Amino acid sequence: MLKLGTIYVYLPILKYLSGIVPSSVVLTSFQVMSRVFLIWAVTHSVKEVQSEDSVLLFVIAWTITEIIRYSFYTFSLLNHLPYLIKWARYTLFIVLYPMGVSGELLTIYAALPFVRQAGLYSISLPNKYNFSFDYYAFLILIMISYIPTFPQLYFHMIHQRRKVLSHTEEHKKFE
């Protein structure tokens, strides 16, 4: 039986697939899976990082982002979107996105020594599958993957902000 929290994690993907919210399935899936990874494979698995300030940093950024996002979607579905919520949706990411990414990267970085020492999730040769996996190196690759990914997603949101808010400003001039 699926736990309620597990279902909640995958709701953004289900909402996209059902057409309730207009988002990219690739971006939505990437966001959901990165959050699951950060919570389960890093923060939950490496108890030593749970008290790091970096965890608080990304949790606060994620929480505020979700409050804004779901307020935006709710009011949009009701056809009564206050400008303040639209503005917050397309403006506060400017601070929240780097804040969340910084918290995520600092948390992974803080986990690295513990992962290396414990050999967490690593598989060494020889074994019956003739396969090896170094979770420590994998975490470093995840951190490096933020280099091309973060700017792409951030500038996509900047573009969206210009498109949505400039349209709103032009519309207000004619009212």
Side-chain angles (χ1 to χ4, degrees):
M1 183 172 165
L2 288 174
K3 291 182 179 181
L4 184 58
T6 305
I7 294 169
Y8 175 76
V9 164
Y10 296 104
L11 272 178
I13 298 170
L14 296 174
K15 285 185 286 191
Y16 163 77
L17 292 173
S18 69
I20 294 174
V21 294
S23 298
S24 161
V25 72
V26 174
L27 293 177
T28 302
S29 299
F30 179 78
Q31 181 183 43
V32 168
M33 297 316 290
S34 69
R35 288 184 178 189
V36 169
F37 175 78
L38 238 331
I39 294 297
W40 179 80
V42 178
T43 309
H44 174 75
S45 298
V46 183
K47 306 280 187 232
E48 295 84 355
V49 300
Q50 293 176 5
S51 60
E52 292 285 329
D53 291 339
S54 58
V55 174
L56 187 60
L57 194 63
F58 77 74
V59 168
I60 288 172
W62 290 0
T63 301
I64 294 169
T65 299
E66 293 307 317
I67 289 169
I68 294 166
R69 178 180 294 133
Y70 284 104
S71 297
F72 177 86
Y73 289 149
T74 300
F75 284 108
S76 292
L77 286 171
L78 296 172
N79 292 320
H80 182 70
L81 179 61
Y83 180 75
L84 179 63
I85 292 176
K86 181 187 257 186
W87 177 87
R89 168 85 166 105
Y90 290 101
T91 302
L92 294 182
F93 80 89
I94 293 169
V95 173
L96 293 172
Y97 197 37
M99 181 177 148
V101 166
S102 297
E104 293 169 19
L105 288 171
L106 289 169
T107 300
I108 295 170
Y109 183 76
L112 287 174
F114 302 105
V115 167
R116 176 175 261 175
Q117 180 184 10
L120 184 67
Y121 301 133
S122 294
I123 302 169
S124 301
L125 286 172
N127 59 55
K128 67 181 181 177
Y129 303 109
N130 201 25
F131 173 80
S132 68
F133 176 74
D134 186 356
Y135 189 57
Y136 177 85
F138 178 74
L139 288 178
I140 291 172
L141 288 175
I142 292 291
M143 292 174 69
I144 291 170
S145 77
Y146 276 71
I147 295 169
T149 307
F150 171 76
Q152 182 180 5
L153 296 175
Y154 191 76
F155 289 119
H156 171 74
M157 285 301 295
I158 294 282
H159 175 75
Q160 290 297 103
R161 180 181 192 277
R162 280 191 201 121
K163 187 169 82 172
V164 171
L165 294 184
S166 68
H167 176 70
T168 303
E169 293 301 322
E170 288 174 14
H171 180 69
K172 282 185 170 184
K173 287 179 187 176
F174 293 110
E175 287 183 348

